[in-house]
C-alpha cells in the first residue's frame, strides 16, 4: 500500500545551472552508469562522484528519469548527508529536526518520502483540523529554477478543483530549524498506484475502462484550466482504497466507486497567455517527462517546446496500454535516452489485441489512436478519449477508426526506404511481364471459348440429373403421405387419440381392425421392409394403449428385427423401437425384460452421441421407472438423474418428460419412506404437466394415482381418496373399465378405502382389479399377487378370514416367484400375511410367514 500523495521524482529536469565542463562530466557518468547492473548502479555512481553532492544528485536525478520510476517509494533513498547526516547513518527519521515541529499552522508527524528537490511530510493542520501532505524544498536545493518550479506547481494546483486531482490547500513560506522554507499543503490520499490497485482488486476489462475514463476526465479539467501535466504515468495516479492489511474483500467491494487522483504537477505547463510558462528543461537531452510515457514531440531539441494538451493524451494512451496488456508499448527501460527516443519516435507499437485477445475490436483501435506518433492523428482532447471509452461500455459505435491501409502503407515506406525501392523495381518488372502476358491472353481466350462450350454441355447433363432427383423426391414425398394416411387410419382406433362414449364397444371394433391391418401389413409389404416396420410399430403402439400387451410386443419385436437387419444393431431407429417395446413389457408385468430393452436403447443413443436428444431423456426416465418396479432403487435414481432431473424444461413437449422423471423420483422417495418429499415432487410434476396446451391425460392418471398412494402412506385418507377418484375417472374415460392401468388405480383406491374404515366398499374395487389383471396380464404373477394380498387383507377387515386365506397364500407365492424375497412389495406382502394370521389367531401360520423375512440390509430402505 502506498500512502503518498505527491511523487517527487522520475522527471528529467536539471536543478543546478552547469557550465560546459560540468555538463560533460554529468553526461559521462550518466552514460557509463547505464551499462552497469541496476543492483550495483548506485555504488558505481557514488564511487565516481566522490564527495561532490551536487554532482551525485544530478546524476541520480537523470537515472531516476531514465528508469521510469513511478513513485519515490519504489527506489532507494537518495543521499541526505547534507541535510540529516545522523538520520541517514542510522536509517531512521528520529534525527530529522523537522519531525514534531510546526510550520505555519501544521504540525509535522512523519516523512512520507524524499525526491530530487523536495521532501513530503504527513502533517496535521490545526484549523481546520485535518491531515495533509506538506511539501517542502530540500535545504540547499533552493536554486532559482527550483523555486520557480515550486511556485509553478502550487500555481497549477491552485487552479484545479476536481475530484480526480489532489487539491492544494495553502502555499507560503515559514521559518524552520533549517531556515526559510517555501511550502505548500495539499490533500493527503491513502491509496495505491493505479497498476497496483488494478492487480490487487482483480479489475475486469470494463472496470479498468471506467477508472481510466475518470483519469481522462481529470486531465481534461486540467487542460480546461490551462494546465498541461507533462509527466502523466501510473505512479502519478493513486486510487483511493483500503490501506495496509485490510482484507482483500474490502478492496474488491470498493473498486466500483474507487476514485483515482492525479498527483505531481511539478513540471506542469500553464498554457494560457495570462500566465508565465515556467517549464524547465534538462541540460542533458532537453526533455521533460518519464521516458516510457513521453510522447515523440517531447524529445525535441533543447530549448524548443512543441508540447500541448495532446502530449498528456499520449501519456494517457501509454497508461491505458499498460493497464490493459500488462506491458508498455515500447520497452525502453535500461537503454540510453538516445536509443529510447529513437524507439518511441520511429518504431510502431504492437497491436494490444495481439497481447490480450479481450481487446480485439474497439479497444484495440482506441489504444492505438491514443498513442499515434503524429499529434494530429491522435485524440485531440482527453475528453474525446474518455467519451470513446465510455461508448465501449454501452456498446455504442466509437468515433475512432483504425488507420487506413494507405496511411499504414506510407508509414511502412517511410520506415523502410531501401526495401521500398526494391519493391518498386520489382513492380516495374511485373508491369513488363503483364504486357507479355496480355499477348498470351489472346491465345488463351480462344481455348476458353472451346472450354465454355464443353461446360454448357456438362451443365445440361447436370440439369437433367437434378430434374430426375426432384422427381425422385416427389415420389418419396407421395409415398410418405400415403404411409401417414395409413398410420392415421389405424390411429383412429386408438383410445388415447380419440374419445368414444362406448369405450368397450370401440375397443372390440379396434381389435378386429388392428388384427386385419397387422396381417395385411405382414403379407403385402414384404418387399418394403422399412415401411412394413414403421406400420408394425404404429399398430404396436395402439395395441399397447388398448392394453393388449402380448400383441403389442409381438408386432414391435418384428419391427425391431427388421430394422436391425437393414439399419444395424446400433441404429438410433432401433433404439426408438426398443423404447416402445420396453413400455409394453413393463405394462405386462415383465419388469426384467423392460429394464433390459430400455438399457439397450440407452446404450445405443450414448454410442451414437445422441445424449442431447429428447428421446435420450425419455429413455433414461422410463428406465428409472422400470428399475424401480424391479426393486433396484439406487439404479433407478441414477437413471432419473441421467434423464435430465436437474435440467429445466423449456418447450411444451419437454414438460411431459420432466413430469415422468419426477413421477419416478417420487417412487424412489416413497420406497425410502420419505413420504413428504415424495408428495412435494409429485405435486411439482402435476404442475409441470399442466403447462402443456394439449394436456396428456394419461400422465395425469398416473401422477394422481401415485399421489393418492403417497398421501395414504401419510394417513391422509380424505386427500388420498380424492386423488384416487380423479385418477380412476381419467383412466376409465380414456382407457376403458377393463384396462390394466385402470386396474392399478382400482387397487390403490380399494386399499385406501379399506384402510379408511370402509372395507365393504373396497371389496368390489379390489375384486375388479384382480379380475382385470388375471385377464389382461396373466403372465404378470407379481402384479396378480399384489391384488390377491390386497383383497385378502380387505376380507380380514370383514372377518372373512377363511375366504381370504387362499388368496393371501397364493398372493405371497406369486410375488416370491416373480419378484423374489428382497423386493419391497414382497416384503410388504409378507408383513400383511403375518398380520392377517395374527388377527385370525393362528400364530403358527403367522410365524411361518415371519420366518421368510430376513433382516433389512443397512443400505436398503
Amino acid at each position: 500500500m502506498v500512502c503518498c500523495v505527491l511523487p517527487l521524482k522520475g522527471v528529467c529536469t536539471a536543478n543546478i545551472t552547469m557550465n560546459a565542463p560540468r555538463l560533460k562530466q554529468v553526461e559521462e557518468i550518466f552514460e557509463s552508469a547505464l551499462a552497469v547492473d541496476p543492483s550495483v548502479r548506485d555504488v558505481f555512481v557514488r564511487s565516481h562522484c566522490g564527495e561532490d553532492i551536487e554532482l551525485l544528485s544530478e546524476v541520480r536525478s537523470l537515472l531516476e528519469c531514465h528508469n521510469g520510476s513511478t513513485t519515490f517509494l519504489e527506489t532507494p533513498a537518495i543521499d541526505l548527508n547534507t541535510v540529516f547526516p545522523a538520520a541517514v547513518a542510522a536509517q531512521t527519521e528520529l534525527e530529522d529536526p523537522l519531525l514534531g515541529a510546526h510550520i505555519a499552522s501544521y504540525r509535522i508527524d512523519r516523512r512520507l518520502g524524499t525526491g530530487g528537490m523536495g521532501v513530503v511530510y504527513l502533517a496535521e493542520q490545526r484549523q481546520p483540523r485535518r491531515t495533509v501532505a506538506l511539501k517542502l524544498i530540500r535545504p540547499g536545493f533552493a536554486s532559482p529554477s527550483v523555486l520557480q518550479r515550486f511556485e509553478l506547481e502550487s500555481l497549477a494546483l491552485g487552479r484545479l478543483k476536481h475530484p480526480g486531482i489532489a487539491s492544494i490547500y495553502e502555499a507560503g513560506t515559514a521559518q524552520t530549524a533549517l531556515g526559510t522554507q517555501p511550502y505548500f499543503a495539499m490533500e493527503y490520499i491513502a491509496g495505491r498506484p493505479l497498476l497496483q490497485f488494478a492487480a490487487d482488486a482483480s479489475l475486469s476489462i470494463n472496470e479498468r475502462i471506467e477508472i481510466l475514463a475518470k483519469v481522462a476526465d481529470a486531465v481534461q479539467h486540467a487542460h480546461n484550466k490551462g494546465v498541461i501535466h507533462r509527466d502523466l504515468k501510473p505512479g502519478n495516479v493513486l486510487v483511493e482504497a483500503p490501506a495496509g492489511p485490510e482484507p482483500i474483500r474490502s478492496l474488491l467491494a470498493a473498486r466500483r466507486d474507487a476514485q483515482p487522483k492525479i498527483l505531481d504537477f511539478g513540471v506542469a505547463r500553464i498554457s494560457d497567455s495570462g500566465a508565465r510558462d515556467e517549464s524547465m528543461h534538462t541540460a542533458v537531452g532537453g526533455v521533460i517527462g518519464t521516458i516510457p510515457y513521453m510522447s515523440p514531440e517531447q524529445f525535441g531539441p533543447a530549448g524548443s517546446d512543441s508540447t500541448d494538451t495532446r502530449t498528456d493524451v499520449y501519456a494517457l494512451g501509454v497508461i491505458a496500454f499498460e493497464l490493459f496488456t500488462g506491458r508498455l508499448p515500447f520497452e525502453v527501460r535500461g537503454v540510453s535516452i538516445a536509443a529510447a527516443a529513437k524507439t518511441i519516435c520511429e518504431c510502431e507499437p504492437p497491436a494490444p489485441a495481439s497481447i490480450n485477445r479481450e481487446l480485439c475490436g474497439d479497444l484495440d483501435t482506441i489504444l492505438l489512436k491514443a498513442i499515434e506518433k503524429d499529434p494530429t492523428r491522435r485524440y485531440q482532447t482527453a475528453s474525446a478519449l474518455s467519451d470513446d471509452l465510455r461508448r465501449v461500455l454501452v456498446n455504442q459505435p466509437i468515433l475512432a477508426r483504425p488507420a487506413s491501409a494507405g496511411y499504414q502503407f506510407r508509414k511502412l515506406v517511410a520506415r523502410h526506404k531501401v526495401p521500398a525501392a526494391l519493391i518498386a523495381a520489382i513492380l516495374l518488372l511485373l508491369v513488363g511481364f503483364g504486357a507479355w502476358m496480355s499477348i498470351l491472353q489472346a491465345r488463351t481466350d480462344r481455348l476458353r471459348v472451346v472450354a465454355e462450350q464443353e461446360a454448357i454441355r456438362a451443365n445440361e447433363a447436370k440439369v437433367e440429373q437434378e430434374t430426375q432427383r426432384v422427381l425422385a423426391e416427389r415420389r418419396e414425398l407421395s409415398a410418405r403421405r400415403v404411409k401417414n394416411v395409413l398410420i392415421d387410419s389405424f390411429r383412429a382406433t386408438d383410445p388415447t387419440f380419440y374419445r368414444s362414449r362406448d369405450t368397450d364397444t370401440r375397443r372390440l371394433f379396434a381389435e378386429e381392425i388392428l388384427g386385419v391391418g397387422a396381417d395385411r401389413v405382414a403379407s403385402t409389404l414384404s418387399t418394403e421392409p422399412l415401411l412394413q416396420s414403421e406400420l408394425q410399430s404404429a399398430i404396436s403402439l395402439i395395441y399397447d394403449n388398448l392394453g393388449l400387451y402380448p400383441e403389442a410386443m409381438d408386432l414391435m419385436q418384428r419391427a425391431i428385427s427388421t430394422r436391425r437387419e437393414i439399419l444395424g444393431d446400433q441404429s438410433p431407429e432401433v433404439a426408438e423401437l426398443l423404447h416402445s417395446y420396453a413400455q409394453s413389457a413393463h405394462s405386462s408385468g415383465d419388469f426384467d425384460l423392460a429394464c433390459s430393452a430400455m438399457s439397450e436403447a440407452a446404450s445405443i443413443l450414448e454410442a451414437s452421441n445422441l445424449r442431447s436428444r429428447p428421446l435420450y431423456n425419455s429413455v433414461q426416465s422410463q428406465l428409472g421407472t422400470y428399475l424401480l418396479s424391479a426393486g433396484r432403487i439406487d439404479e433407478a435414481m441414477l437413471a432419473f438423474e441421467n434423464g435430465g432431473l436437474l435440467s429445466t424444461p423449456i418447450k411444451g413437449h419437454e414438460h411431459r418428460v420432466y413430469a415422468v422423471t419426477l413421477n419416478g423420483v417420487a417412487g424412489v422417495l416413497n420406497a425410502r419412506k420419505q413420504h413428504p418429499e415424495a408428495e412435494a415432487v409429485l405435486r411439482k410434476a402435476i404442475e409441470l404437466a399442466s403447462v402443456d396446451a394439449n394436456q396428456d391425460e394419461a400422465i395425469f392418471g398416473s401422477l394422481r394415482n401415485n399421489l393418492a398412494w403417497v398421501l395414504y402412506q401419510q394417513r391422509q385418507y380424505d386427500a388420498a381418496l380424492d386423488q384416487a377418484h380423479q385418477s380412476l375417472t381419467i383412466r376409465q374415460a380414456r382407457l376403458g373399465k377393463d384396462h390394466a392401468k385402470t386396474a392399478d388405480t382400482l387397487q390403490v383406491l380399494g386399499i385406501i378405502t379399506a384402510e379408511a374404515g370402509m372395507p365393504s366398499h373396497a371389496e368390489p374395487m379390489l375384486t375388479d382389479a384382480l379380475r382385470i389383471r388375471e385377464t389382461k396380464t396373466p403372465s404378470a404373477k407379481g402384479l396378480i399377487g399384489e391384488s390377491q394380498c390386497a383383497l385378502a387383507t380387505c376380507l380380514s377387515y370383514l372377518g372373512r378370514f377363511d375366504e381370504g386365506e387362499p388368496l393371501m397364500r397364493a398372493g405371497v407365492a406369486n410375488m416370491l416367484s416373480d419378484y423374489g424375497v428382497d423386493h419391497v412389495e414382497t416384503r410388504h406382502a409378507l408383513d400383511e400375511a403375518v398380520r392377517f394370521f395374527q388377527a385370525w389367531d393362528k400364530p403358527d401360520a403367522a410365524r411361518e410367514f415371519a420366518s421368510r423375512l430376513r433382516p433389512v440390509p443397512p443400505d436398503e430402505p
Side-chain angles (χ1 to χ4, degrees):
M1 172 67 70
V2 177
C3 295
C4 109
V5 238
L6 188 62
L8 301 172
K9 57 169 210 53
V11 182
C12 290
T13 60
N15 298 329
I16 302 172
T17 304
M18 293 181 285
N19 54 31
R22 182 72 164 181
L23 174 61
K24 182 176 181 182
Q25 184 181 12
V26 170
E27 289 178 336
E28 289 176 349
I29 297 174
F30 170 70
E31 294 290 345
S32 299
L34 290 179
V36 176
D37 187 280
S39 62
V40 296
R41 187 173 289 164
D42 194 61
V43 176
F44 174 85
V45 173
R46 281 174 175 271
S47 65
H48 282 70
C49 293
E51 300 298 326
D52 192 334
I53 301 302
E54 290 185 354
L55 179 61
L56 176 64
S57 175
E58 189 64 24
V59 173
R60 275 180 168 164
S61 177
L62 290 176
L63 286 172
E64 291 164 359
C65 164
H66 175 74
N67 291 335
S69 304
T70 55
T71 72
F72 64 83
L73 295 180
E74 296 175 354
T75 57
I78 70 167
D79 190 347
L80 300 179
N81 281 308
T82 57
V83 185
F84 312 129
V88 173
Q91 295 185 347
T92 175
E93 298 179 356
L94 296 177
E95 300 299 327
D96 188 336
L98 296 182
L99 294 181
H102 286 79
I103 293 181
S105 62
Y106 305 95
R107 187 190 76 248
I108 295 178
D109 291 336
R110 61 185 174 89
R111 191 167 65 244
L112 293 176
T114 306
M117 71 173 185
V119 185
V120 176
Y121 292 95
L122 183 70
E124 187 76 19
Q125 186 177 8
R126 291 194 297 269
Q127 187 66 31
R129 191 170 185 83
R130 58 187 170 188
T131 300
V132 301
L134 196 66
K135 182 173 181 179
L136 307 176
I137 295 180
R138 285 177 51 199
F141 288 83
S143 65
S145 63
V146 171
L147 290 172
Q148 188 175 328
R149 190 183 313 141
F150 198 81
E151 178 186 356
L152 175 66
E153 183 174 5
S154 63
L155 177 62
L157 287 171
R159 289 184 170 207
L160 308 178
K161 299 295 180 184
H162 190 273
I165 300 175
S167 303
I168 189 170
Y169 298 142
E170 180 183 3
T173 59
Q175 292 297 322
T176 71
L178 300 176
T180 302
Q181 286 282 352
Y183 72 89
F184 62 79
M186 59 188 302
E187 180 182 4
Y188 171 71
I189 308 298
R192 302 173 187 235
L194 176 61
L195 298 182
Q196 181 186 349
F197 176 81
D200 292 346
S202 300
L203 296 185
S204 66
I205 291 294
N206 282 355
E207 289 168 336
R208 291 170 192 251
I209 292 174
E210 290 175 356
I211 205 166
L212 188 64
K214 292 179 181 179
V215 175
D217 292 341
V219 172
Q220 184 62 49
H221 172 78
H223 292 171
N224 292 342
K225 296 297 184 180
V227 177
I228 306 172
H229 192 286
R230 299 200 298 180
D231 190 28
L232 287 172
K233 54 188 174 183
N236 281 343
V237 180
L238 294 185
V239 183
E240 294 178 305
E246 287 287 331
I248 192 65
R249 62 176 175 270
S250 300
L251 179 65
L252 297 179
R255 64 187 181 183
R256 179 57 67 100
D257 300 321
Q259 175 61 55
K261 295 276 189 177
I262 300 178
L263 315 171
D264 196 356
F265 283 77
V267 295
R269 173 184 173 185
I270 300 179
S271 59
D272 58 78
S273 59
R276 289 183 303 158
D277 184 358
E278 304 293 356
S279 306
M280 306 303 297
H281 287 264
T282 180
V284 181
V287 294
I288 293 180
T290 302
I291 298 293
Y293 304 92
M294 289 171 57
S295 63
E297 59 266 27
Q298 285 181 279
F299 290 96
S304 69
D305 191 356
S306 59
T307 61
D308 56 22
T309 56
R310 293 171 295 184
T311 297
D312 283 350
V313 173
Y314 180 92
L316 282 173
V318 178
I319 293 171
F321 195 104
E322 190 172 9
L323 180 64
F324 289 121
T325 68
R327 54 166 286 186
L328 291 164
F330 306 106
E331 187 50 66
V332 294
R333 287 174 289 202
V335 300
S336 67
I337 294 178
K342 181 177 177 63
T343 298
I344 292 174
C345 294
E346 297 181 8
C347 295
E348 292 300 323
S354 67
I355 304 171
N356 183 350
R357 295 182 62 84
E358 292 186 72
L359 306 178
C360 289
D362 289 346
L363 275 178
D364 188 80
T365 301
I366 290 172
L367 296 184
L368 290 177
K369 184 176 180 65
I371 57 174
E372 278 279 1
K373 299 185 187 304
D374 182 355
T376 63
R377 295 186 56 81
R378 210 176 290 158
Y379 283 105
Q380 297 302 292
T381 63
S383 62
L385 172 59
S386 67
D387 288 346
D388 257 4
L389 287 171
R390 290 190 169 99
R391 288 186 184 96
V392 173
L393 292 177
V394 294
N395 294 317
Q396 290 183 349
I398 61 171
L399 299 182
R401 288 291 177 268
S404 66
Y407 171 76
Q408 294 185 38
F409 180 75
R410 290 194 299 275
K411 296 284 287 184
L412 180 65
V413 171
R415 292 197 306 272
H416 307 285
K417 294 181 180 178
V418 174
L422 181 60
I423 292 173
I426 293 173
L427 289 175
L428 289 175
L429 290 176
L430 289 176
V431 170
F433 180 73
W436 171 250
M437 290 301 295
S438 64
I439 298 173
L440 297 179
Q441 183 65 38
R443 300 176 184 175
T444 305
D445 287 343
R446 290 193 296 272
L447 297 175
R448 188 180 67 249
V449 171
V450 175
E452 287 176 350
Q453 292 173 349
E454 293 293 332
I456 291 172
R457 287 192 289 269
N459 187 60
E460 290 174 349
K462 184 177 179 181
V463 169
E464 176 64 22
Q465 183 180 4
E466 180 66 16
T467 302
Q468 294 300 323
R469 186 188 65 79
V470 171
L471 291 175
E473 287 182 352
R474 289 178 179 175
R475 287 194 294 269
E476 182 182 354
L477 179 61
S478 298
R480 190 180 304 119
R481 287 173 177 170
V482 171
K483 178 194 67 177
N484 291 337
V485 169
L486 288 174
I487 292 176
D488 288 343
S489 298
F490 286 127
R491 283 182 174 171
T493 66
D494 189 340
T496 63
F497 279 85
Y498 300 97
R499 293 182 179 276
S500 173
R501 293 182 179 179
D502 189 349
T503 305
D504 294 329
T505 301
R506 190 179 184 86
R507 177 185 302 277
L508 294 173
F509 179 65
E511 291 179 18
E512 293 182 5
I513 292 179
L514 292 175
V516 174
D519 291 340
R520 291 287 181 86
V521 167
S523 61
T524 61
L525 294 178
S526 58
T527 59
E528 298 287 342
L530 286 179
L531 177 58
Q532 181 187 60
S533 170
E534 192 163 355
L535 291 173
Q536 286 173 333
S537 170
I539 296 173
S540 173
L541 292 176
I542 301 170
Y543 270 133
D544 183 85
N545 289 330
L546 289 169
L548 302 174
Y549 303 121
E551 293 85 345
M553 293 172 65
D554 177 64
L555 269 182
M556 190 60 75
Q557 184 61 51
R558 292 189 214 172
I560 291 172
S561 298
T562 300
R563 290 199 181 180
R564 285 187 192 277
E565 182 178 349
I566 297 176
L567 303 177
D569 289 336
Q570 297 300 308
S571 168
E573 285 79 5
V574 173
E576 184 179 0
L577 295 190
L578 283 170
H579 174 266
S580 300
Y581 179 73
Q583 288 180 325
S584 298
H586 180 262
S587 297
S588 71
D590 195 339
F591 302 146
D592 291 335
L593 179 59
C595 292
S596 174
M598 199 63 82
S599 295
E600 183 182 357
S603 299
I604 292 173
L605 295 175
E606 289 169 0
S608 303
N609 294 321
L610 298 177
R611 292 175 181 265
S612 61
R613 289 194 178 181
L615 177 60
Y616 180 76
N617 292 337
S618 178
V619 165
Q620 288 289 355
S621 298
Q622 294 288 3
L623 176 58
T625 300
Y626 304 161
L627 290 168
L628 178 62
S629 298
R632 296 154 63 181
I633 297 172
D634 292 337
E635 295 177 62
M637 193 62 185
L638 179 61
F640 291 136
E641 292 173 354
N642 291 338
L645 173 61
L646 302 180
S647 65
T648 302
I650 299 174
K651 299 179 181 177
H653 73 275
E654 293 178 347
H655 289 97
R656 183 184 185 282
V657 175
Y658 196 63
V660 170
T661 301
L662 293 181
N663 192 22
V665 171
V668 172
L669 295 172
N670 186 61
R672 291 174 175 173
K673 301 190 184 305
Q674 296 175 259
H675 305 309
E677 292 84 352
E679 178 187 350
V681 170
L682 283 169
R683 292 193 184 278
K684 178 62 177 179
I686 292 173
E687 177 186 339
L688 284 174
S690 301
V691 172
D692 295 338
N694 299 317
Q695 295 180 1
D696 184 351
E697 294 187 3
I699 186 61
F700 281 103
S702 177
L703 290 171
R704 296 196 182 279
N705 183 68
N706 292 343
L707 179 57
W709 186 250
V710 170
L711 292 169
Y712 157 70
Q713 298 288 334
Q714 301 176 75
R715 301 293 187 269
Q716 299 179 35
Y717 296 127
D718 290 341
L721 287 171
D722 176 62
Q723 294 294 332
H725 278 296
Q726 290 188 55
S727 174
L728 183 62
T729 300
I730 292 171
R731 285 183 163 175
Q732 285 182 337
R734 196 67 164 169
L735 304 174
K737 295 181 180 180
D738 289 333
H739 198 280
K741 294 188 182 297
T742 303
D744 293 344
T745 302
L746 278 171
Q747 177 152 319
V748 169
L749 182 57
I751 291 173
I752 299 171
T753 303
E755 292 293 333
M758 297 178 286
S760 59
H761 291 82
E763 180 186 358
M765 301 176 191
L766 295 171
T767 301
D768 276 351
L770 175 57
R771 174 186 58 79
I772 295 170
R773 284 183 170 177
E774 288 177 334
T775 303
K776 297 297 182 180
T777 56
S779 61
K781 299 300 182 184
L783 293 176
I784 293 172
E786 290 179 31
S787 292
Q788 289 171 324
C789 290
L791 181 56
T793 300
C794 178
L795 292 173
S796 72
Y797 294 159
L798 295 170
R800 294 154 58 184
F801 293 100
D802 52 345
E803 295 178 49
E805 179 181 9
L807 288 169
M808 183 62 76
R809 289 186 179 276
V812 171
N814 279 329
M815 296 174 72
L816 285 169
S817 171
D818 206 9
Y819 293 164
V821 70
D822 291 330
H823 196 286
V824 62
E825 294 298 337
T826 304
R827 298 175 64 84
H828 177 71
L830 288 169
D831 286 334
E832 287 294 319
V834 171
R835 286 194 290 270
F836 179 90
F837 287 106
Q838 286 175 343
W840 198 10
D841 196 19
K842 288 191 175 185
D844 292 339
R847 281 192 295 272
E848 171 194 346
F849 286 95
S851 66
R852 300 183 186 183
L853 286 168
R854 64 176 180 82
V856 179
D859 59 342
E860 290 188 9

